[in-house]
């Protein structure tokens, strides 16, 4: 019996999202199509792969046996795709870069404007999110992330330490003590399901009884609240040439062990064989190098 890559990708999407609706969104197909194709796969395998319930789709014993081979198949599909594209002769086409919401908004979006002006054939797609995308599978071409890669198939292209700072609106700063402590600040922070996303855990570790006055599950909502004077916000102070005019001002306050944050440019090793990915990687390194000197 042969299992096609399309069937394996469908199975993996359900297993990793835990639902048919999640798989449908990830694959950009209808939920009835997901159900129909899974039924055909289960008939071919001769066993149920998921138990359907109110909590979503849970792997059966037969399904669990397929997860690791399906993941390996996804990684090889990514390698195959990159090998085919390495035959391109010029840096043209789409490059997908993933990063945190802050880096996507503050740095990558204006960086994309500079790239489009300099290289007419290059297009950037910025994938902003909390969860890390799988570069080995080809879910993105390049990533800016805080954790260095541990997978042997991934390459750390460039690294630097970025300063962190506490920012507030001028209206809030005027109401604060002259030299406030971390405990005296009202905070805006991530809401569930992102409440374990930095800087929440770091602030919890250095502020006894940490309790933000405002939470949200969207970065731009957090930023808007901070700009409205609701509370303080920890932001990376990466001084690149695209820095937008902020409606926030930094406070002279010590973040202790979290005063700096590592930032790594990462990609699958074989991705650098693709001219357009290599070119965007080089341009990112140039910008980060300049920011490091500021």
């Amino acid at each position: 019996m042969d299992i096609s890559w399309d069937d394996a990708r469908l199975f993996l999407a359900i297993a990793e999202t835990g639902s048919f609706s999640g798989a449908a969104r990830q694959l950009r197909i209808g939920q009835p199509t997901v159900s129909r194709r899974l039924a055909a796969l289960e008939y071919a395998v001769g066993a149920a792969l998921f138990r359907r319930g109110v909590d979503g789709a849970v792997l059966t014993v037969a399904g669990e046996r397929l997860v690791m081979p399906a993941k390996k198949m996804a990684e090889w599909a990514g390698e195959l795709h990159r090998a085919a594209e390495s035959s391109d002769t010029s840096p043209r086409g789409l490059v997908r870069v993933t990063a945190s919401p802050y880096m996507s908004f503050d740095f990558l979006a204006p960086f994309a404007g500079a790239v489009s002006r300099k290289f007419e054939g290059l297009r950037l797609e910025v994938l902003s999110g909390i969860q890390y995308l799988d570069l080995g599978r080809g879910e993105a071409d390049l990533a800016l992330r805080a954790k260095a890669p541990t997978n042997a198939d991934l390459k750390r292209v460039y690294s630097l330490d970025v300063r962190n700072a506490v920012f507030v609106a001028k209206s809030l700063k005027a109401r604060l003590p002259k030299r406030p402590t971390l405990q005296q600040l009202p905070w805006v922070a991530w809401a569930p399901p992102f409440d374990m996303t930095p800087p929440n855990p770091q602030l919890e570790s250095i502020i006894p009884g940490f309790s933000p006055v405002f939470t949200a599950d969207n970065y731009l909502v957090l930023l808007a609240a901070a700009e409205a004077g609701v509370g303080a916000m920890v932001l990376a102070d990466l001084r690149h040439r695209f820095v937008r005019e902020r409606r926030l001002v930094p406070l002279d306050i010590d973040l202790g062990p979290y005063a700096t944050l590592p930032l790594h440019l990462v990609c699958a090793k074989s991705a650098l064989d693709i001219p357009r990915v290599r070119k965007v990687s080089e341009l990112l390194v140039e910008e980060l190098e300049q920011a490091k000197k500021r």
Side-chain angles (χ1 to χ4, degrees):
M1 179 194 66
D2 291 329
I3 296 179
S4 70
W5 163 232
D6 283 343
D7 286 341
R9 182 167 57 175
L10 177 87
F11 164 78
L12 201 53
I14 300 171
E16 293 182 336
T17 62
S19 69
F20 286 21
S21 59
R25 286 192 298 273
Q26 185 180 107
L27 300 175
R28 299 181 182 180
I29 58 178
Q31 190 169 327
T33 302
V34 172
S35 299
R36 176 177 51 78
R37 285 176 52 188
L38 176 65
L41 176 60
E42 289 179 323
Y43 179 80
V45 172
L49 301 176
F50 296 95
R51 292 193 306 275
R52 288 77 158 173
V54 292
D55 294 329
V58 180
L59 285 162
T60 63
V61 173
E64 288 175 351
R65 286 197 294 266
L66 294 185
V67 171
M68 190 54 65
K71 287 183 176 180
K72 290 180 179 178
M73 198 171 182
E75 291 170 1
W76 278 108
E79 283 292 324
L80 181 64
H81 178 74
R82 289 188 289 272
E85 294 204 321
S86 64
S87 60
D88 291 345
T89 56
S90 62
R92 301 179 63 84
L94 181 68
V95 178
R96 295 161 302 155
V97 188
T98 181
S100 69
Y102 170 75
M103 289 299 299
S104 297
F105 174 76
D106 186 73
F107 175 59
L108 287 178
F111 167 77
V115 171
S116 65
R117 289 189 293 272
K118 193 171 182 179
F119 297 92
E120 190 174 325
L122 271 179
R123 294 185 296 117
L124 258 64
E125 181 174 276
V126 175
L127 304 171
S128 166
I130 301 300
Q131 290 85 10
Y132 282 1
L133 297 182
D134 194 319
L135 300 178
R137 293 188 199 174
E139 293 177 352
D141 301 306
L142 296 162
L144 287 170
R145 52 184 50 163
K147 292 181 180 177
T150 56
N151 188 323
D153 294 327
L154 300 184
K155 178 181 177 63
R156 183 174 58 181
V157 180
Y158 185 79
S159 298
L160 77 161
D161 287 328
V162 179
R163 293 179 294 271
N164 283 330
V166 178
F167 286 85
V168 296
K170 290 181 181 178
S171 59
L172 176 56
K173 185 177 181 179
R175 304 196 306 268
L176 293 172
K178 199 163 189 179
R179 294 187 65 82
T181 65
L182 292 171
Q183 289 87 345
Q184 290 175 314
L185 294 175
W187 292 96
V188 301
W190 288 104
F194 305 131
D195 49 333
M196 293 309 294
T197 300
N200 284 36
Q202 289 78 10
L203 291 174
E204 286 178 7
S205 71
I206 58 178
I207 302 175
F210 173 70
S211 180
V213 299
F214 179 89
T215 57
D217 64 352
N218 181 285
Y219 167 73
L220 291 181
V221 175
L222 292 174
L223 183 62
E227 290 179 339
V230 176
M233 192 173 184
V234 175
L235 295 173
D237 194 15
L238 181 64
R239 299 179 184 181
H240 53 81
R241 66 186 175 107
F242 309 116
V243 172
R244 59 191 283 270
E245 185 177 348
R246 286 176 172 152
R247 294 165 59 187
L248 300 172
V249 293
L251 293 179
D252 183 14
I253 195 165
D254 184 16
L255 284 168
Y258 307 112
T260 60
L261 176 76
L263 181 67
H264 307 286
L265 176 60
V266 182
C267 69
K269 289 179 179 178
S270 55
L272 294 178
D273 294 331
I274 304 170
R276 65 176 182 274
V277 176
R278 185 170 61 250
K279 174 53 68 176
V280 172
S281 172
E282 291 169 352
L283 293 172
L284 281 169
V285 170
E286 288 177 15
E287 295 295 346
L288 295 174
E289 280 276 11
Q290 291 302 313
K292 191 175 184 178
K293 294 173 184 177
R294 287 186 170 90

